[in-house]
Amino acid sequence: MKKLNHPNLVSLIEVLDDPTEDSLYMVMEMCKKGVIMKVGLGERADPYDDERCRLWFRDLILGIEYLHAQGIAHRDIKPDNCLLTNDDVLKVVDFGVSEMFAKDSDMYTAKSVGSPAFLPPELCVVGHGDVSGRAADIWSMGVTLYCLRYGRIPFEKQSILELYEAIRTEEPDLGDEKDEDFIDLMRRIFEKDPSKRITMSELRVCF
């Protein structure tokens, strides 16, 4: 975190060591408006309007694009890890399960981490082998955008096994969505094959 410097990533200001309590304290940049949305399995929230979704997803793209350029896959992108400043700027936080790679690599990893509802289909199988951290982050970004737009996760099931099966085999419910550009964007983000999924540079053109 000390190496990172981007307006859409929460900054680490200082690390304080308290040897008397065997503790470390991380002083982080304040984001006064807190978590952008609380949503997950069995949780719903009020959706945001189109313009705010667009602006905040642009912020998310810029933050994660920078992270990937540093050779870091976030691995746990979700609304809970997106904070808002007083000026309504989205900042990504929580690098607890992030993984570092050589810069400009495809960032392939066999580790399966992250929040179940936000996992890509390639991580929802046993013995999945190496997967692209870049493609996995983009899927999770898409789930986050879906949450902001509709106030719910795209695949709602009773059990984790049912959830994983839905992520692998079903398409997200876009209801009576009229915006053809948004429908196409969701289709490209929620591409089951990570090698065919929309890339960060292609996402950037959309926003």
Side-chain angles (χ1 to χ4, degrees), residues 34-156:
V35 170
I36 196 168
M37 178 182 280
K38 294 289 291 182
V39 66
L41 285 172
E43 288 183 293
R44 297 221 172 185
D46 293 331
Y48 290 107
D49 61 69
D50 293 358
E51 182 62 13
R52 282 190 286 183
C53 288
R54 186 186 70 80
L55 292 175
W56 288 334
F57 193 62
R58 180 204 60 190
D59 287 348
L60 183 59
I61 289 171
L62 294 175
I64 301 302
E65 179 186 51
Y66 169 83
L67 208 60
H68 287 180
Q70 308 308 306
I72 299 170
H74 188 280
R75 317 267 340 251
D76 197 20
I77 300 166
K78 56 184 179 180
D80 269 5
N81 288 334
C82 297
L83 306 182
L84 288 177
T85 69
N86 226 22
D87 298 325
D88 279 339
V89 175
L90 181 147
K91 290 181 180 267
V92 181
V93 72
D94 193 351
F95 302 95
V97 296
S98 297
E99 193 169 348
M100 294 185 69
F101 303 85
K103 288 186 179 180
D104 299 323
S105 76
D106 287 325
M107 302 196 294
Y108 280 99
T109 178
K111 295 180 181 177
S112 185
V113 296
S115 303
F118 295 83
L119 289 181
E122 60 268 26
L123 287 177
C124 294
V125 293
V126 177
H128 52 68
D130 286 346
V131 300
S132 168
R134 293 175 184 272
D137 274 354
I138 287 171
W139 176 281
S140 301
M141 290 167 64
V143 179
T144 298
L145 174 59
Y146 184 99
C147 291
L148 298 182
R149 180 86 168 216
Y150 299 111
R152 65 181 190 275
I153 57 174
F155 305 100
E156 294 184 293

Side-chain angles (χ1 to χ4, degrees), residues 6 11 13 27 50 76 93 111 128 143 146 161 164 174 189 196:
H6 191 276
S11 301
I13 297 170
V27 182
D50 293 358
D76 197 20
V93 72
K111 295 180 181 177
H128 52 68
V143 179
Y146 184 99
L161 289 178
Y164 286 172
L174 300 181
I189 291 177
K196 298 177 182 177

Side-chain angles (χ1 to χ4, degrees), residues 160-178:
I160 295 296
L161 289 178
E162 288 177 318
L163 173 66
Y164 286 172
E165 178 68 15
I167 291 171
R168 288 191 297 108
T169 63
E170 297 179 13
E171 298 301 322
D173 177 16
L174 300 181
D176 57 354
E177 180 65 55
K178 300 292 193 301

